[in-house]
Amino acid sequence: MRAIRQHEYGGPETLRLVTLPDPTPGPGQVRIRVRAAGVHLLDAQIRAGLGPPRTRVPLPMTPGREVAGHVDAVGPDVDASWLGRDVVADLGPASGGYAELAIAAAAALHPVADGTDPAEAVAAIGTGRTVQAILELAEIRADDIVVVTGASGGVGTMLTVAARRAAARVVGLATGATKARAVAALDAETVDSSQPDWPQVAQRLLAPTRASLVLDGVGGEFGAQALTLLRPGGRLVMFGTASGSAIPLDAETVYATGITVSAAVGARLLQRPGGLRDLAERALAAAADGSLVPRIGHRVPLAAAAEAHRVIEERRSLGKVVLVP
């Protein structure tokens, strides 16, 4: 099979296409012929050696933690009825998704509804699951004014659509005119955050009020500037640190503003009662019935995995980035 292999930590150029022996599923496992593999910012961080300890995999390794495709082989103790079925799976820390064939635990499989785009299915199991966790915590209401950072990305586009479906007013922050237009097409107001005066532009757009909810996946100084758009007593829900660091916050700020601060990912997500499976099932159901379909912005050939990582790291993505055979 063809697969992407990484032998050292470093830049996108460390991702190389190689030919490997076809893997064989062991007990409790199945083999998936991959039709789509999700690409995340976390994948790029792992590639660079910057991922959290729980994601560290000994090198050499094949990246990719989520795949969609059909089961073409099962382990000796796995129900043979899985053979030939369309599925999507989170591979966990073991990774291995950037390949034509991937091994997954049978317990991690989710059936995919007939006619579902594999790229949308794999986006749902990863990005969509995260979005469901954010929405569960944010509890968006019709009277909310929501600011979404990184609104043109995979998570950002889904949050924007979900907030508009809840009848909330949405202001999306997007880097560059092209991204801003893409967010505007989702029926949201937009601010081009590549401009140095974007916080002032956003404040004028929101005037005479301010946001009741900020959904932030960027963090750092950018997230701190987005936080200035939040009214006293508002809610901040954090779900990522695309800038490389979290929003600098202290207790004095919370006391002074009366805001509620929470994080939808990290410890809360990992220790969530009932685990993550129901979030994934919600995301898949929403994709299947059309109520919240992930936007696929980039379908990149497997051999061009390095370019997929560049798109993510250079913030050029318009929706979800997916590798296809």
Side-chain angles (χ1 to χ4, degrees):
M1 70 169 184
R2 297 187 310 152
I4 297 297
R5 204 71 172 156
Q6 178 179 356
H7 290 264
E8 59 186 339
Y9 294 121
E13 69 280 357
T14 62
L15 302 178
R16 300 186 179 94
L17 185 69
V18 300
T19 299
L20 298 174
D22 291 354
T24 300
Q29 297 179 327
V30 304
R31 187 174 70 191
I32 299 172
R33 186 161 293 277
V34 178
R35 296 180 62 194
V39 181
H40 297 262
L41 179 60
L42 179 58
D43 293 351
Q45 294 170 339
I46 294 170
R47 184 212 69 227
L50 302 175
R54 64 182 174 81
T55 66
R56 296 291 177 90
V57 178
L59 299 179
M61 60 93 74
T62 294
R65 295 169 300 117
E66 293 132 13
V67 298
H70 68 270
V71 176
D72 76 346
V74 300
D77 59 344
V78 175
D79 188 339
S81 66
W82 281 112
L83 280 170
R85 296 183 68 180
D86 289 335
V87 298
V88 63
D90 184 334
L91 304 180
S95 299
Y98 292 9
E100 292 177 323
L101 297 168
I103 297 297
L109 299 180
H110 295 269
V112 173
D114 291 344
T116 302
D117 180 348
E120 292 176 356
V122 83
I125 197 73
T127 299
R129 182 179 64 186
T130 300
V131 167
Q132 291 295 327
I134 297 166
L135 295 175
E136 180 179 75
L137 184 60
E139 297 183 328
I140 300 172
R141 305 182 299 264
D143 61 352
D144 272 321
I145 301 173
V146 185
V147 169
V148 181
T149 67
S152 65
V155 172
T157 54
M158 294 185 74
L159 290 175
T160 299
V161 170
R164 289 298 296 129
R165 284 185 178 274
R169 180 184 176 190
V170 180
V171 175
L173 307 181
T175 307
T178 299
K179 290 185 176 183
R181 285 193 295 271
V183 175
L186 302 176
D187 194 27
E189 299 168 82
T190 60
V191 173
D192 180 355
S193 55
S194 68
Q195 301 302 312
D197 65 341
W198 73 261
Q200 292 74 37
V201 173
Q203 287 167 3
R204 290 194 295 269
L205 181 63
L206 290 167
T209 185
R210 282 191 275 172
S212 60
L213 172 64
V214 170
L215 303 176
D216 176 60
V218 178
E221 183 56 32
F222 185 93
Q225 290 179 306
L227 187 56
T228 66
L229 305 177
L230 192 61
R231 69 177 61 156
R235 292 124 58 210
L236 168 65
V237 175
M238 301 177 291
F239 58 88
T241 56
S243 67
S245 62
I247 295 176
L249 269 175
D250 55 35
E252 289 185 2
T253 300
V254 175
Y255 276 114
T257 60
I259 63 174
T260 300
V261 180
S262 53
V265 298
R268 180 186 183 277
L269 189 58
L270 295 174
Q271 298 172 19
R272 180 178 175 274
L276 306 180
R277 190 171 183 88
D278 68 313
L279 293 175
E281 290 173 350
R282 280 189 227 166
L284 287 166
D289 67 20
S291 59
L292 191 55
V293 180
R295 176 178 178 178
I296 308 302
H298 306 263
R299 298 175 191 259
V300 182
L302 176 65
E307 174 59 18
H309 276 220
R310 292 187 185 99
V311 168
I312 291 279
E313 291 182 304
E314 295 169 8
R315 300 185 184 180
R316 291 188 275 127
S317 58
L318 291 169
K320 180 67 179 176
V321 180
V322 174
L323 292 179
V324 294

